[in-house]
Amino acid sequence: MTHQILHGDCLFVLREIPDDHINLVYLDPPFFTQSKQSLKSKTMREYSFTDTWESMERYIEFLRERLYEMRRVMKDESTIFFHCDRNASHHIRVLLDDIFGYKRFLSEIIWTYRRWSNTSRSLLGSHQTIFMYSKTANYTFNEIFQDYSETTNLDQILQRRERNKHGKSVYVTDSEGRIVLNGPKKGVPLTDTWEIPFLNPKARERCGYPTQKPLQLLERIIQLATNENDLVLDPFCGSGTTLVAAKLLHRNFIGIDSSIEAVELSRQRVQNPIRSESKLLEAGREAYRNLPDDVIQILRESPVKFVQRNSGIDAIHNFFVGGKPVVLRVQRSGEDLTEAAKKLQQAGRKKDAAMLLLIRTEQDKRQHTFLDVFPADVHVIDSLALSVQSSIENLLQTELSEFAKGNA
Ligand SMILES: C[S@@+](CC[C@H](N)C(=O)[O-])C[C@H]1O[C@@H](n2cnc3c(N)ncnc32)[C@H](O)[C@@H]1O
């Protein structure tokens, strides 16, 4: 078993590793941000590393020397995943073509995540890039499948197809004209765009190391490119995310870092791996959607943003009045209109709303008492279905009374 975390400049440590030894290299070196990266851990310990360079040329030369060593220690069936971002990705792709050959380029993986910070005069960055290259044409690749999207017509996928004599794809039928099924489907092959949440500041997994990557990202890479007991190398291991992922997946690993604090932290994390489960990813986006379908249906055509976890407000209109929001609520089936209005009023006050709009979906058949006080600031609008229903009823009433008059 190899579980090593070594201290030093990876250029020199790599030289101690024999040729053709490693199954997967993942590297996440400084990105050429031209700044010092630092962060405080939960215990207020500060971790940092420098990412300032004399020039882009010096940075690329630094990488080139080390990449040659990485290539040397890689086995023929191995792959390398180079993690970088917009600061230097364009130079790094050319460098990797140079060292591994452009024919060994396999994928440009876009790791995308949501961020909420402000940008000034350009688009808010929400991705990083991981270049995947192999050492030879014969490399390990374990296919990963993802679930079909909600919009996929599963019925069609489950039916077997073939090309007819005109080359057109048609469904296969048996001698009695019945459709033939394809058997179980594995899902859609993993694409090169990976949506994996960035570690939030409160994530259990977060150890306070600057630029720490999520375990989920490394687990996916390791599963794609290695098998159990293979040897994974991270020459810029930082807080040891790759090593923890490798351990959890029963792979061997070698980690290197020039910072002794990083090496110590990696050793601690490997001893006591903590993985935060993303509730969103585990349960899927749908689980976070708790607005009933009929409510969404009613509001869908209006320019609104849905509010998922608020019992008083279902949506906020895109149009603000005097900088204040206009909030909406849909009356639920069987819900008393006054009760619905009170809930909206209460929730709307907390949001300092400019207008409260309640969409009535049912006719009020209840007997009201003097205790029912309808909130005066709530505007009631009938839903389309209710308006149609009332219009039809009114027309029928008129028609009936005309008829009655005629017969009188
Ligand atoms: C972007 S961080 C890696 C973060 C890591 N992937 C994680 O999840 O925590 C880059 C690391 O490279 C290390 N480093 C910088 N120059 C190095 C060198 N010449 N050899 C080894 N490590 C180096 C820094 O100390 C830093 O920990």
Side-chain angles (χ1 to χ4, degrees):
M1 190 172 72
T2 308
H3 280 186
Q4 285 183 322
I5 306 176
L6 307 166
H7 176 224
D9 181 337
C10 62
L11 177 64
F12 304 108
V13 180
L14 280 165
R15 288 185 180 152
E16 305 295 315
I17 300 178
D19 295 0
D20 307 318
H21 197 61
I22 304 288
N23 298 90
L24 162 68
V25 180
Y26 165 83
L27 70 151
D28 174 27
F31 283 178
F32 196 82
T33 56
Q34 294 297 45
S35 58
K36 183 179 169 192
Q37 299 293 325
S38 63
L39 202 68
K40 278 202 178 107
S41 72
K42 286 170 196 148
T43 57
M44 298 313 279
R45 174 157 189 187
E46 185 166 342
Y47 292 104
S48 66
F49 63 88
T50 45
D51 187 13
T52 46
W53 305 84
E54 208 179 288
S55 62
M56 180 61 83
E57 289 71 27
R58 268 301 306 136
Y59 173 68
I60 294 297
E61 276 323 301
F62 165 88
L63 293 174
R64 184 189 299 278
E65 280 185 289
R66 287 158 184 80
L67 278 166
Y68 274 126
E69 285 301 321
M70 290 174 220
R71 190 178 180 283
R72 178 186 61 74
V73 302
M74 285 167 69
K75 285 186 176 173
D76 281 354
E77 61 272 27
S78 66
T79 43
I80 181 164
F81 288 69
F82 194 123
H83 195 137
C84 51
D85 77 356
R86 50 183 263 165
N87 287 296
S89 57
H90 47 313
H91 294 274
I92 290 166
R93 173 90 187 257
V94 175
L95 173 67
L96 289 166
D97 274 358
D98 233 30
I99 294 174
F100 289 88
Y102 71 91
K103 288 194 174 156
R104 299 284 82 84
F105 165 76
L106 295 173
S107 287
E108 175 176 351
I109 298 162
I110 302 298
W111 167 35
T112 151
Y113 39 79
R114 282 169 191 247
R115 286 175 66 192
W116 282 269
S117 56
N118 292 323
T119 49
S120 44
R121 288 179 57 82
S122 71
L123 300 176
L124 176 66
S126 68
H127 82 276
Q128 292 179 9
T129 303
I130 304 169
F131 292 118
M132 176 187 184
Y133 279 72
S134 62
K135 184 167 180 180
T136 68
N138 177 28
Y139 55 91
T140 304
F141 182 74
N142 303 318
E143 265 191 296
I144 293 182
F145 291 90
Q146 291 185 306
D147 286 345
Y148 293 107
S149 75
E150 309 82 63
T151 51
T152 307
N153 187 343
L154 271 178
D155 276 4
Q156 287 180 11
I157 285 181
L158 291 175
Q159 289 179 39
R160 189 174 304 165
R161 289 169 186 246
E162 65 181 5
R163 300 237 164 244
N164 68 11
K165 59 180 183 218
H166 308 294
K168 218 178 138 209
S169 168
V170 291
Y171 292 119
V172 177
T173 46
D174 64 13
S175 54
E176 285 160 36
R178 288 181 303 224
I179 57 152
V180 178
L181 294 182
N182 246 332
K185 280 277 183 179
K186 293 183 203 155
V188 193
L190 186 65
T191 69
D192 56 8
T193 307
W194 297 359
E195 195 183 338
I196 294 178
F198 216 87
L199 284 179
N200 73 58
K202 292 203 176 123
R204 268 191 359 107
E205 192 178 310
R206 191 176 262 293
C207 61
Y209 200 78
T211 77
Q212 178 188 349
K213 303 297 177 300
L215 265 173
Q216 209 195 343
L217 177 73
L218 271 302
E219 284 172 341
R220 185 175 284 183
I221 291 174
I222 292 172
Q223 277 164 338
L224 261 184
T226 63
N227 296 311
E228 278 199 14
N229 301 318
D230 278 356
L231 182 52
V232 177
L233 167 71
D234 185 342
F236 296 87
C237 70
S239 64
T241 311
T242 313
L243 321 177
V244 176
K247 184 177 176 191
L248 292 174
L249 293 167
H250 311 291
R251 270 64 166 176
N252 290 301
F253 58 81
I254 300 177
I256 308 169
D257 205 285
S258 56
S259 145
I260 189 66
E261 287 84 17
V263 168
E264 282 164 5
L265 181 61
S266 294
R267 289 186 179 142
Q268 287 164 21
R269 278 186 80 199
V270 163
Q271 283 301 314
N272 180 24
I274 298 176
R275 189 181 191 288
S276 26
E277 308 298 340
S278 159
K279 287 193 194 118
L280 179 66
L281 279 169
E282 280 226 321
R285 282 192 195 294
E286 283 303 295
Y288 262 54
R289 220 196 72 180
N290 64 353
L291 278 180
D293 283 345
D294 51 347
V295 170
I296 292 178
Q297 200 63 36
I298 288 168
L299 295 173
R300 181 164 274 154
E301 300 306 321
S302 307
V304 299
K305 302 236 169 359
F306 288 106
V307 175
Q308 294 288 355
R309 284 179 294 281
N310 187 316
S311 60
I313 299 174
D314 293 328
I316 299 178
H317 203 278
N318 288 353
F319 186 80
F320 276 51
V321 177
K324 292 183 178 182
V326 173
V327 296
L328 296 95
R329 189 177 198 286
V330 176
Q331 179 191 16
R332 302 295 193 269
S333 164
E335 185 180 36
D336 176 65
L337 195 69
T338 309
E339 286 308 310
K342 283 181 183 165
K343 282 186 187 163
L344 174 63
Q345 186 189 47
Q346 207 178 17
R349 276 188 186 152
K350 285 191 196 147
K351 299 272 177 265
D352 196 17
M355 267 184 107
L356 309 166
L357 306 182
L358 179 62
I359 302 184
R360 175 164 51 187
T361 55
E362 292 179 357
Q363 282 178 357
D364 197 2
K365 302 201 172 84
R366 205 166 62 89
Q367 291 293 319
H368 289 273
T369 70
F370 68 94
L371 289 173
D372 289 330
V373 183
F374 194 88
D377 48 351
V378 174
H379 302 265
V380 179
I381 308 163
D382 283 351
S383 71
L384 188 62
L386 185 60
S387 314
V388 171
Q389 190 191 335
S390 319
S391 304
I392 293 174
E393 278 173 15
N394 288 341
L395 273 173
L396 288 177
Q397 278 299 336
T398 323
E399 196 63 26
L400 269 176
S401 45
E402 292 297 318
F403 183 73
K405 268 190 224 157
N407 279 347

